[in-house]
């Protein structure tokens, strides 16, 4: 009887033990599923399963800790940095967790990242601790991420060329067998470093490269976390069109992802773009969306940005009471107070000068201008030094990579150095040629309409060969006689928009080899080569008819008609003395305008 009872108890114990082992196995599987590398975001669809698992009473302290750390990464990827920080700081204070585990190292790194996102210097302490808890062999993703953070933000004593050398060394180590996610993470870090060195074009190149690699593996909001940096760098380096194309890509990705953080990043990018391009109408239109997106992620940076842009609009509209209220809100009515996050932002420092100047506070204007000037000087010094730093860092890395080969092959070392120098010189020559070519091309374009300016159009016409027999060179000047009236009706700030729409109408009807340019304030020149005279006049008439309907789609009934006077000159030989001919045409147009107004 006693033996039977013993066997029954033993069987029950075995069943309970097996059930417990199975439960632990399932929980460990969940932990493994929701865990994501330090440089990526977990799939948001896994969050409900994680939350449900956290409610189980059978969790061991270490399992609960690992799940809590995983939840922290979910929160970070949603932009809830403060919430993640508080939860993780509380979690690591427990006494019964394994500090050698991946979860503990991950928690330390994530805390550092939450500080990093808000540019809090405390990030360095946690990045250093995360690096100490990991190695290239153990928790390698955390080791790489924390090392990159230390290089970028926590090596103030190291010169920039040493930082770049270390960064390229990390890239070299992963270049052969690193995953796209790891390489994207490294290129992103290099972009950050270039940005700190005021090399925004180089930074944008690294960010775009990292973004392209990251799309292969990243999930959720992490798909857009790098492209936002690329957009800011493109804007900072004057690549406005390329920045806009990246914003369109960000919009498409956000439509697919649609998380609070991705929505915020998209609205943030739009807001920065409109401010940089001084498009205050669109800035005012999109600002409520940024404010709503900011509220959804509880971002202190977002709130400060919204307040700044609202004040920008107030200043633009000369609403000084609103400007005073903004200054009162940040405590700056009687002294210069700049939010910590904007202390080195040249746009914001310039905005401070404009505010105090508008308020006619000369003392504060001078003080704000001094702060702006000091930052500009510091940036200029960094930018001037960096041209040499970039070359030195590449050379430094090559020498570092080839140290072991120096002892075996001295000749090979010389050959490598000579090749590097030759490539560098070739790069400088090509870069100089490309920059000069771009500069010349920009000088030929009218900045408002993006058509050829008068000088460039005339120069191209002068270079035309004599037309074939029976054909001619036909030139027409279109004078938009009611341009001021159209601008007045559409709004005083719409002058450039009106000209761009008219220019677009021209571009929609002309042929590929026609020469089109802006000839004067409200005049355009169009040249047709090797065309029959009758066909040329018919073509010019069609262009004039198209101009009348430029704004037809803007309203249903009472649309604005573009009125233009056209003067035509036809030559059957190569044109010489075009300037004199055009002067006569312009004079005849002017006389026609005067007679029409009398």
């Amino acid at each position: 009887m006693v033996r039977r009872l013993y066997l029954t108890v033993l069987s029950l114990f075995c069943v309970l033990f097996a059930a417990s082992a199975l439960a632990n196995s399932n929980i460990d599987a969940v932990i493994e599923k929701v865990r994501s590398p330090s440089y990526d975001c977990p799939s948001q669809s896994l969050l409900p399963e994680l939350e449900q698992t956290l409610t189980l009473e059978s969790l061991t302290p270490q399992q609960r800790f690992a799940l809590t750390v995983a939840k922290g990464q979910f929160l970070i990827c949603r932009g809830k940095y403060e919430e993640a920080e508080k939860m993780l700081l509380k979690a690591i204070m427990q006494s019964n967790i394994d500090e050698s585990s991946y979860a503990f190292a991950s928690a330390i790194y994530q805390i550092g990242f939450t500080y990093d996102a808000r540019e809090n210097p405390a990030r360095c302490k946690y990045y250093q601790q995360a690096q100490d808890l990991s190695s290239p062999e153990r928790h390698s993703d955390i080791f790489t991420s924390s090392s990159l953070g230390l290089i970028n933000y926590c090596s103030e004593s190291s010169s920039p060329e040493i930082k770049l050398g270390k960064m390229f060394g990390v890239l070299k180590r992963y270049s052969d067998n690193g995953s796209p996610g790891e390489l994207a993470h490294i290129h992103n870090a290099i972009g950050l470093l270039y940005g700190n060195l005021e090399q925004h074009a180089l930074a944008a190149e690294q960010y775009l490269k990292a973004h392209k690699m990251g799309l292969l593996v990243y999930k959720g909001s992490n798909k857009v976390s790098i492209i936002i940096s690329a957009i800011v760098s493109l804007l900072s380096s004057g690549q406005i069109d390329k920045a806009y194309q990246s914003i369109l890509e960000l919009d498409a990705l956000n439509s697919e992802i649609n998380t609070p953080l991705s929505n915020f990043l998209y609205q943030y990018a739009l807001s920065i773009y409109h401010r940089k391009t001084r498009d205050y109408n669109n800035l005012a239109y999109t600002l409520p969306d940024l404010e709503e997106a900011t509220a959804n992620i509880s971002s202190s940076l977002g709130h400060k940005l919204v307040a700044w842009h609202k004040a920008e609009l107030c200043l633009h509209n000369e609403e000084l009471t609103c400007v005073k209220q903004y200054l009162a809100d940040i405590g700056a009515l009687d002294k210069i107070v700049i939010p910590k996050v904007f202390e080195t932002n040249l746009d914001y420092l310039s905005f401070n000068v404009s505010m105090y100047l508008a308020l006619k506070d000369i003392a504060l204007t001078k003080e704000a201008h001094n702060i702006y000037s000091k930052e500009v000087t510091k940036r200029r010094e960094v930018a001037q030094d960096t041209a040499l730093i970039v070359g030195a860092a590449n050379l430094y890395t090559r020498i570092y990579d080839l140290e072991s080969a120096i002892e075996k092959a001295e000749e090979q070392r010389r050959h490598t150095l000579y090749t590097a120098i030759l490539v560098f010189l070739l790069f400088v020559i090509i870069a100089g040629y490309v920059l000069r070519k771009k500069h010349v091309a920009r000088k030929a374009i009218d900045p408002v309409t993006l058509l050829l300016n008068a000088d460039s159009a005339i120069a191209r016409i002068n270079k035309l060969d004599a037309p074939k027999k029976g054909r001619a060179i036909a030139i027409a000047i279109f004078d938009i006689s009611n341009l001021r009236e159209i601008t007045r009706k559409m709004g005083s700030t719409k002058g450039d928009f009106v000209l761009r729409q008219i220019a677009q109408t021209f571009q929609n009807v002309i042929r590929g080899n026609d020469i089109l340019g802006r000839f004067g304030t409200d005049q355009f020149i169009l040249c047709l080569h090797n065309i029959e005279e009758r066909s040329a006049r018919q073509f010019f008439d069609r262009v004039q008819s198209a101009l009348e309907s430029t704004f037809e789609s803007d309203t249903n009934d009472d649309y604005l008609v573009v009125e233009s006077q056209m003067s035509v000159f036809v030559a059957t030989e190569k044109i010489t003395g075009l300037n004199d001919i055009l002067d006569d045409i312009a004079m005849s147009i002017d006389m026609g305008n005067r007679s029409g107004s009398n």
Side-chain angles (χ1 to χ4, degrees):
M1 181 69 182
V2 174
R3 184 181 178 190
R4 183 180 296 176
L5 180 61
Y6 171 76
L7 291 173
T8 302
V9 172
L10 182 60
S11 298
L12 180 61
F13 176 78
C14 291
V15 170
L16 291 174
F17 179 80
S20 176
L22 181 60
N24 283 332
S25 176
N26 290 338
I27 292 169
D28 289 340
V30 172
I31 293 172
E32 188 63 30
K33 189 196 312 186
V34 299
R35 193 176 97 175
S36 182
S38 58
Y39 48 78
D40 199 358
C41 283
S43 173
Q44 293 294 316
S45 63
L46 297 175
L47 184 57
E49 184 177 2
L50 186 152
E51 296 275 22
Q52 183 179 2
T53 307
L54 270 172
T55 62
L56 298 177
E57 295 182 0
S58 58
L59 292 174
T60 66
Q62 186 62 34
Q63 288 173 332
R64 188 174 299 278
F65 176 74
L67 289 167
T68 301
V69 173
K71 183 179 178 180
Q73 198 160 357
F74 277 94
L75 293 174
I76 288 173
C77 290
R78 289 189 169 194
K80 298 187 179 294
Y81 303 116
E82 291 89 347
E83 186 177 341
E85 173 207 329
K86 291 178 182 177
M87 184 183 71
L88 291 169
L89 283 172
K90 181 179 178 181
I92 64 172
M93 295 302 294
Q94 301 173 73
S95 58
N96 52 353
I97 53 176
D98 181 6
E99 295 190 5
S100 65
S101 66
Y102 179 89
F104 186 79
S106 178
I108 297 298
Y109 172 76
Q110 287 183 48
I111 294 170
F113 187 86
T114 62
Y115 286 131
D116 197 347
R118 292 166 289 165
E119 299 187 4
N120 188 322
R123 59 193 170 191
C124 295
K125 167 188 171 184
Y126 289 95
Y127 281 159
Q128 185 61 63
Q129 188 178 353
Q131 187 190 57
D132 294 341
L133 288 167
S134 56
S135 69
E137 294 75 30
R138 185 169 60 93
H139 317 328
S140 61
D141 59 314
I142 295 175
F143 180 80
T144 300
S145 297
S146 56
S147 297
L148 293 173
L150 289 171
I151 293 172
N152 261 319
Y153 305 114
C154 310
S155 304
E156 295 181 1
S157 59
S158 297
S159 58
E161 64 266 30
I162 299 298
K163 286 185 179 182
L164 275 171
K166 290 180 178 179
M167 197 70 78
F168 277 107
V170 174
L171 178 61
K172 181 69 176 177
R173 187 165 65 243
Y174 282 89
S175 60
D176 293 333
N177 52 13
S179 69
E182 289 170 329
L183 291 172
H185 192 38
I186 295 167
H187 281 293
N188 180 57
I190 295 174
L192 288 169
L193 184 50
Y194 276 137
N196 292 336
L197 296 174
E198 295 299 309
Q199 297 297 309
H200 297 295
L202 292 175
E205 180 184 4
Q206 292 294 320
Y207 288 137
L208 290 173
K209 188 178 294 185
H211 171 65
K212 185 177 180 180
M213 291 179 175
L215 286 179
L216 300 174
V217 291
Y218 286 166
K219 303 169 185 174
S221 299
N222 219 27
K223 283 188 175 181
V224 299
S225 61
I226 299 177
I227 196 172
I228 188 71
S229 300
I231 291 168
V232 173
S233 289
L234 288 168
L235 290 171
S236 298
S237 59
Q239 301 179 73
I240 304 299
D241 292 340
K242 202 167 183 179
Y244 185 68
Q245 292 304 315
S246 294
I247 290 175
L248 293 179
E249 183 182 354
L250 174 58
D251 184 19
L253 287 170
N254 181 48
S255 299
E256 170 195 334
I257 300 165
N258 194 29
T259 65
L261 182 57
S262 68
N263 287 329
F264 167 75
L265 292 176
Y266 172 62
Q267 296 301 333
Y268 172 83
L270 274 182
S271 175
I272 296 293
Y273 176 80
H274 293 321
R275 175 173 57 75
K276 281 280 191 182
T277 56
R278 300 189 180 279
D279 187 349
Y280 293 105
N281 289 332
N282 275 320
L283 179 60
Y285 180 77
T286 58
L287 202 52
D289 293 329
L290 174 63
E291 191 167 12
E292 180 181 352
T294 300
N296 289 335
I297 66 167
S298 304
S299 168
S300 56
L301 169 62
H303 290 305
K304 287 185 174 67
L305 187 71
V306 168
W308 168 12
H309 285 180
K310 283 183 177 179
E312 281 267 15
L313 292 174
C314 291
L315 184 62
H316 175 71
N317 296 325
E318 298 182 356
E319 298 173 2
L320 298 186
T321 301
C322 172
V323 174
K324 288 181 179 179
Q325 183 59 50
Y326 171 73
L327 290 170
D329 290 342
I330 64 171
L333 279 179
D334 56 348
K335 60 184 181 303
I336 295 288
V337 174
I338 301 174
K340 182 85 176 166
V341 72
F342 297 144
E343 282 182 353
T344 59
N345 188 301
L346 289 180
D347 290 342
Y348 187 79
L349 298 180
S350 173
F351 169 59
N352 271 261
V353 177
S354 300
M355 279 194 297
Y356 295 124
L357 191 60
L359 295 174
K360 295 182 172 58
D361 191 326
I362 303 303
L364 288 179
T365 300
K366 288 181 178 179
E367 189 175 347
H369 184 265
N370 286 337
I371 295 173
Y372 174 80
S373 298
K374 288 179 181 177
E375 185 62 27
V376 168
T377 301
K378 185 173 73 173
R379 299 281 188 95
R380 184 167 58 246
E381 290 172 352
V382 170
Q384 288 172 347
D385 289 343
T386 305
L388 295 176
I389 289 169
V390 173
N394 280 283
L395 188 59
Y396 171 91
T397 306
R398 290 180 183 276
I399 294 172
Y400 177 81
D401 290 339
L402 294 171
E403 278 181 344
S404 60
I406 291 175
E407 299 175 358
K408 299 179 180 179
E410 185 67 20
E411 187 62 33
Q412 181 64 35
R413 184 188 68 85
R414 290 197 189 95
H415 177 73
T416 303
L417 290 174
Y418 292 153
T419 303
I421 292 171
L422 182 61
V423 169
F424 178 76
L425 291 175
L426 186 61
F427 172 80
V428 171
I429 292 170
I430 293 173
Y433 172 78
V434 171
L435 290 174
R436 184 180 180 280
K437 191 173 181 180
K438 287 184 177 180
H439 176 68
V440 171
R442 281 196 298 268
K443 287 179 64 178
I445 300 298
D446 172 63
V448 176
T449 62
L450 300 182
L451 303 178
L452 294 173
N453 57 35
D455 291 340
S456 301
I458 292 171
R460 291 196 182 185
I461 295 172
N462 278 326
K463 291 180 180 179
L464 291 176
D465 297 329
K468 296 177 181 179
K469 187 176 180 179
R471 295 183 175 262
I473 298 174
I475 300 173
I477 293 182
F478 296 85
D479 181 83
I480 312 302
S481 55
N482 65 335
L483 181 63
R484 291 185 180 179
E485 180 183 352
I486 294 173
T487 303
R488 179 177 56 79
K489 288 183 178 180
M490 295 196 73
S492 58
T493 63
K494 293 282 188 175
D496 288 352
F497 170 77
V498 171
L499 286 169
R500 282 195 292 270
Q501 291 295 103
I502 292 172
Q504 187 61 51
T505 298
F506 275 107
Q507 290 175 314
N508 289 341
V509 295
I510 66 171
R511 304 167 306 173
N513 59 341
D514 297 336
I515 299 173
L516 173 65
R518 186 180 179 188
F519 186 61
T521 304
D522 49 8
Q523 294 174 336
F524 296 84
I525 185 170
L526 176 59
C527 175
L528 312 177
H529 186 224
N530 271 331
I531 189 170
E532 294 180 356
E533 182 175 347
R534 181 179 177 184
S535 298
R537 294 186 182 277
Q538 291 175 347
F539 187 89
F540 289 146
D541 288 338
R542 288 199 301 272
V543 172
Q544 195 169 30
S545 297
L547 283 175
E548 292 178 358
S549 306
T550 296
F551 299 100
E552 183 174 1
S553 61
D554 285 0
T555 56
N556 293 326
D557 300 316
D558 188 22
Y559 68 86
L560 299 172
V561 177
V562 177
E563 299 174 2
S564 64
Q565 295 186 26
M566 179 176 66
S567 297
V568 178
F569 170 77
V570 179
T572 57
E573 299 177 351
K574 180 175 174 62
I575 294 179
T576 57
L578 181 59
N579 286 327
D580 295 335
I581 296 170
L582 294 177
D583 287 342
D584 292 339
I585 294 176
M587 186 179 297
S588 66
I589 291 175
D590 185 57
M591 292 177 64
N593 287 339
R594 290 180 182 177
S595 63
S597 62
N598 288 335

